[in-house]
């Protein structure tokens, strides 16, 4: 393939081409070694949704937690949560997994983070038809309006948040090995600290204020407002936007500061 087709070395076009190739490779490896293939993209959030739906609607009376239909309410947050959780988990091994390539290639090292965001993000998009099926099955209980335009905004915000976290977590995990296990523990706690099985509006004081500073709170809210307009929470969304941008800027600064140290450690 000629340079003209993919761009000259060091150009944004070449970077995007390399990013696409690496992300596509990750997806091919994931699906080629699995009989279920595509189903794995939706099986995890689907099983989680079924479990939480059963527990909170059949075993316990959840009261005012969430919205009806609860299964749609759950899936709208569980799908992006799986994208977030799997991406951050992979960030901890982003450089060590392909240490030889990271050291030997001339492409910007940030691509090893961004390829994870893109490949996991594509799996998230592959799972959207499952969400659509549940929405159609509950069409009489779901309100679909112009607020649905906030859904792609949520996708963009989550992408920005993940890139920032990846640029922050990946180099730190190379320099401090214990951070990989620490990150796993934080992710477990963060699941329950994020409005996945409940709504931002369900948090009592002072946890409603504290919870608003979790950037996922506003992002998950944006995913849901297209189907549940009452979920709109201006303060939480604005805080999430500010925090997402702040984490992205911090990630860029940390990555640039530690890049040489990381290469020496690999």
């Amino acid at each position: 393939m000629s340079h003209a087709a993919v761009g000259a070395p060091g150009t944004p076009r070449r970077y995007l081409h390399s990013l696409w190739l690496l992300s596509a490779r990750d997806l091919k490896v994931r699906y080629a070694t699995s009989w279920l293939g595509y189903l794995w993209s939706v099986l995890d959030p689907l099983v989680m949704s079924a479990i939480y739906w059963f527990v909170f609607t059949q075993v316990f009376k959840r009261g005012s937690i969430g919205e009806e239909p609860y299964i749609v309410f759950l899936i709208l947050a569980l799908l992006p949560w799986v994208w977030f959780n799997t991406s951050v988990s992979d960030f901890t091994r982003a450089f060590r997994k392909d240490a030889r390539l990271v050291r030997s290639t001339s492409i910007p090292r940030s691509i090893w983070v961004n390829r994870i965001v893109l490949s996991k993000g594509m799996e998230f998009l592959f799972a959207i038809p499952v969400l659509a099926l549940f929405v159609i099955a509950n069409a009489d209980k779901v309100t679909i309006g112009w607020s649905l335009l906030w859904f792609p905004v949520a996708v963009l915000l989550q992408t920005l948040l993940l890139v920032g976290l990846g640029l922050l977590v990946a180099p730190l995990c190379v320099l401090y090995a214990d951070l990989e296990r620490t990150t796993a523990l934080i992710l477990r706690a963060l699941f329950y600290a994020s409005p996945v099985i409940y709504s931002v509006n369900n948090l009592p004081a002072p946890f409603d204020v504290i919870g608003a500073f979790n950037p996922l709170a506003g992002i998950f809210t944006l995913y849901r407002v297209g189907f549940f307009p009452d979920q709109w929470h201006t303060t939480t969304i604005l805080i999430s936007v500010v925090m997402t941008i702040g984490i992205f800027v911090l990630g860029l600064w940390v990555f640039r500061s530690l890049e040489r140290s990381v290469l020496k450690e690999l």
Side-chain angles (χ1 to χ4, degrees), residues 162-220:
L162 284 171
V163 170
L165 284 174
L167 295 175
L168 186 63
V169 171
L172 288 175
C173 283
V174 173
L175 300 177
Y176 308 99
D178 288 340
L179 279 180
E180 183 174 344
R181 292 184 178 180
T182 303
T183 300
L185 292 175
I186 292 173
L187 284 173
R188 290 180 187 177
L190 188 60
F191 174 80
Y192 295 101
S194 301
V196 178
I197 59 179
Y198 56 87
S199 164
V200 172
N201 298 326
N202 298 136
L203 292 173
F207 299 107
D208 55 342
V209 177
I210 298 172
F213 285 89
N214 174 0
L216 291 176
I219 292 173
F220 289 171

Side-chain angles (χ1 to χ4, degrees), residues 19 22-23 25-27 83-95 97-98 110-123 162-163 166 170:
L19 176 61
L22 289 170
S23 300
R25 185 200 68 172
D26 288 347
L27 290 173
W83 177 19
F84 179 87
N85 183 59
T86 54
S87 295
V88 176
S89 296
D90 282 4
F91 290 155
T92 62
R93 304 178 295 274
F95 291 134
K97 183 179 178 181
D98 294 303
S110 61
I111 203 169
W112 303 103
V113 167
N114 292 333
R115 86 172 212 227
I116 294 173
V117 178
L118 179 58
S119 62
K120 299 301 181 183
M122 290 175 68
E123 291 181 6
L162 284 171
V163 170

